[in-house]
Amino acid sequence: MSVSFIRYGDVLKIMVDQDTPGKDLEEASRKLLDEKGVACVSLDLKNCYYIQSKALAALIAFKKNAAKIRAEFVVSNVCDNVYQVFEMANLTSYFTIREDFSSYPAEELMEKFFQADYADRVSDFIAEHYSDEYRQQLQGLMEMNEPELKYYAILTMGKAHDYASEDRIKQELDSDLPMVVKASVLVLGWFGDTSSKDKIYSILEGGLEELAEAAAASIALLSDDSDAQRLGKLLSDKSAVIRTAAVQALTLINDDNSFNLLKSALDSEQDENVKASLIRALSSFNRPGVSDILITGLDNSSIKVREASASGLAKIKAKDKLADILRRVTDNDAWVGYFAVKACGDICAASDAKKLMDSYDKVDENVKLAIVEALGKIPSDFSDFYMKILNDNNEDIRKEVLAALFNDNKDAARDAALTLFTDDSSWIVRYKALEIVSIIRPEGYKTLLQQRLTAEDNKYVKEKIQSILEEI
Amino acid sequence: MITAATIKIKDDEFVELKDIIYKNAAISFADSKKYLLENRLSKRLQELNFTSFKDYIYYLKYDAKKREEMEVLLNQVTINETYFLRERAQMDHMIKTTIPALITAGKRNIRIWSAACSSGEEPYSLAMLLNEAGLFAKAGIEILATDINTEVLDFAQKGLYRTISFRGVPPTIQDKYFRKDGFSFQLDSAIMSKVKFFQGNLFNPMLSAKVGRLDIIFCRNVLIYFDIPAKQKVIDLFHKSLNTPGALYLGHSETLNKISDSFKMENFGGGIIYRK
Ligand SMILES: C[S@@+](CC[C@H](N)C(=O)[O-])C[C@H]1O[C@@H](n2cnc3c(N)ncnc32)[C@H](O)[C@@H]1O
């Protein structure tokens, strides 16, 4: 049988073999009409490495017949070759294309760990549908000398809470393969295996970057009151990698002790990268004094530290420092200006907005963009200002203006979006306009979309129109 | 991946970033690959203090160092999976048929190009097989190897490989050409000296001048990331760069069907060769 129907509750899976003749497919699509109580039809092409363009008509018939029995229709496991055929026939957005790992035997799934672009999702899938069969397969991988496979085997067991494998995973802390050690460190952290903590410290102290980061995360998970002090000592280690890892661990622990340790490390730290990471760390603490530290950071000689400080201020929404922040909007470093403006968007009142608008003509392009975005967040209507720059030469500015208008004045946004959607020369602006039109849904918008579907020549905008039309 | 929180990408950000990547490397991302960008770029965004992909897009467009950042971006988004003697039937075909025919026709110097060589396993495999067949003694053979990703090229030039690169390699070959060094394997320096690496984007108009004229091209498992117009462009470049007779080998799941008919296609049993 080259086409087979398999029922799982209200899901109907249709498996298609390679080289299925077109007429068999057509017959199967007619058979679909006899099915009752199906909510979703999944046509699975896992076994089709290529497809004749003649078969496409049958696939379209499937979709139509699925609609007749009121079932959703998806095409699953489309390989690159078949996808290319869909592409040539302009069908990639006509069909909902999905991945369905449940069609693969356990052994074939394991092989996908070799493919970087699948591995993570396969691992998630197996963990979610954990069974003895998967478990056995994973244990098999543990005995092979393939770092990638072992890495994913361990992570998957971890995600599946397979505590019975804990001892086996522990052994791998001594592996010579860094990837494998990394996976074990992470999983033992998730498992709360405090007995491995000392070992994990020694891995962190080994100073290998990818391992140090994982070790930091796990130490934080396994930490008790004594760990802040222990990590604090590492903040003055001579290796920048180790210092950075200690910063990460303390950030995750996030208690008073950690805060004080990080704060005092900031004074002695010389390396600008580590210093920037200390600034980022401190801005994740909700403590008095943080905003002062960040304001001081704005005067640091290192660009990295200044930018981290400005971005920190945006993150903590330092209301008490508004005046200082506003002053930085016109900073020489455009990214400091950018983050300063972002901070304003979250903390300014309408009365402060004028300062932002006055700076507009004095700043770089990226800061201008941030200003428009920030104005859109401040609860007041700045349409007059937007209208002046709605015809700016820069496409991103026009796009941001539209978005800000949408926040402040829906009527003006609707009119602007309708015009820009048809007339703007940049697809980026048309795309944003389309998003807004599809939310506001002005009268006659469906006809407009249909017209634009033929007139539009950008493929992203076209696809978006198509998917909106399909929804309605 | 698991340690750093991933930053979610919005629809409009995704299409714009996808377009930037497409314009610079022709690599196309299906919507189902959104998570790939999120996974691979979140850490970079955090290093730059950004909290959204929009910030990053503006960085790519407006920062003074945007060209360097483009390199960082492309290094993150290419898929570099490869291993020694991958799809070996084609390599054997080159050794047993294509090169002997060129030599019989009187060719003294043969130039081979591995056009998306990733970390070097493909061109080095060719060099090892050429050496096994004693062909370096019979003609002057030059192997060029290019890739868009500068990180993999650095890796290739070190010639130091992990077990993952040796799937399916016979132990005799591995023992003969590699010296074990801890958990890595160092490739023999004589083989390394046969391959010349340099950075090359298949869509850079200067590339054709940089590689010059060739007799054989390997371009495997990269066209799958390109859409049809981009594939056509690359195939045109190959056609122009090849001497006549010339040979093009593609990955075994890739075909020129509906893309170009400038080559003669020939099925040799173990795979397909496109001849000029
Ligand atoms: C999957 S690897 C293939 C390696 C090898 N040819 C093989 O078959 O095993 C694909 C390679 O194509 C490279 N690549 C992607 N886009 C490229 C472009 N526009 N120009 C040159 N190389 C590109 C990637 O960096 C990656 O290393």
Side-chain angles (χ1 to χ4, degrees), chain A residues 1 14 86 92 108 123 147 155 222 240-241 256 299 333 372 374 388-389 409 442 446 448 471:
Chain A
M1 181 71 171
I14 305 177
F86 283 5
T92 48
E108 265 179 54
S123 163
L155 286 185
L222 302 173
V241 171
D256 286 335
D299 288 321
D333 173 3
V372 179
K388 272 189 274 175
I389 50 173
N409 183 334
K446 203 171 148 189
L448 175 68
E471 264 171 47

Side-chain angles (χ1 to χ4, degrees), chain B residues 180-214:
Chain B
K180 195 161 189 279
D181 180 355
F183 260 77
S184 301
F185 296 83
Q186 175 67 53
L187 177 59
D188 182 76
S189 58
I191 294 294
M192 287 180 61
S193 70
K194 299 284 184 201
V195 182
K196 206 166 107 200
F197 288 97
F198 52 94
Q199 201 264 357
N201 181 345
L202 289 168
F203 298 93
N204 182 342
M206 306 301 288
L207 185 62
S208 140
K210 269 177 37 197
V211 291
R213 295 200 70 82
L214 304 139

Side-chain angles (χ1 to χ4, degrees), chain A residues 4 6 8 10-16 25 32 38-46 51 58-67 69-78 82-83 86 91-103 470, chain B residues 32:
Chain A
S4 42
I6 312 163
Y8 300 90
D10 58 2
V11 177
L12 173 67
K13 200 186 262 193
I14 305 177
M15 301 294 299
V16 180
L25 277 174
L32 186 58
V38 177
C40 174
V41 178
S42 163
L43 187 81
D44 199 307
L45 299 182
K46 150 181 186 290
I51 192 166
L59 298 198
I60 294 172
F62 267 111
K63 178 163 170 160
K64 290 199 176 127
N65 290 348
I69 60 166
R70 295 179 173 279
E72 181 196 5
F73 181 74
V74 300
V75 185
S76 313
N77 300 323
V78 178
V82 174
Y83 191 86
F86 283 5
L91 288 173
T92 48
S93 47
Y94 177 74
F95 290 127
T96 311
I97 298 173
R98 256 195 226 148
E99 232 154 33
D100 179 4
F101 293 129
S102 70
S103 302
E470 244 169 64
Chain B
S32 57

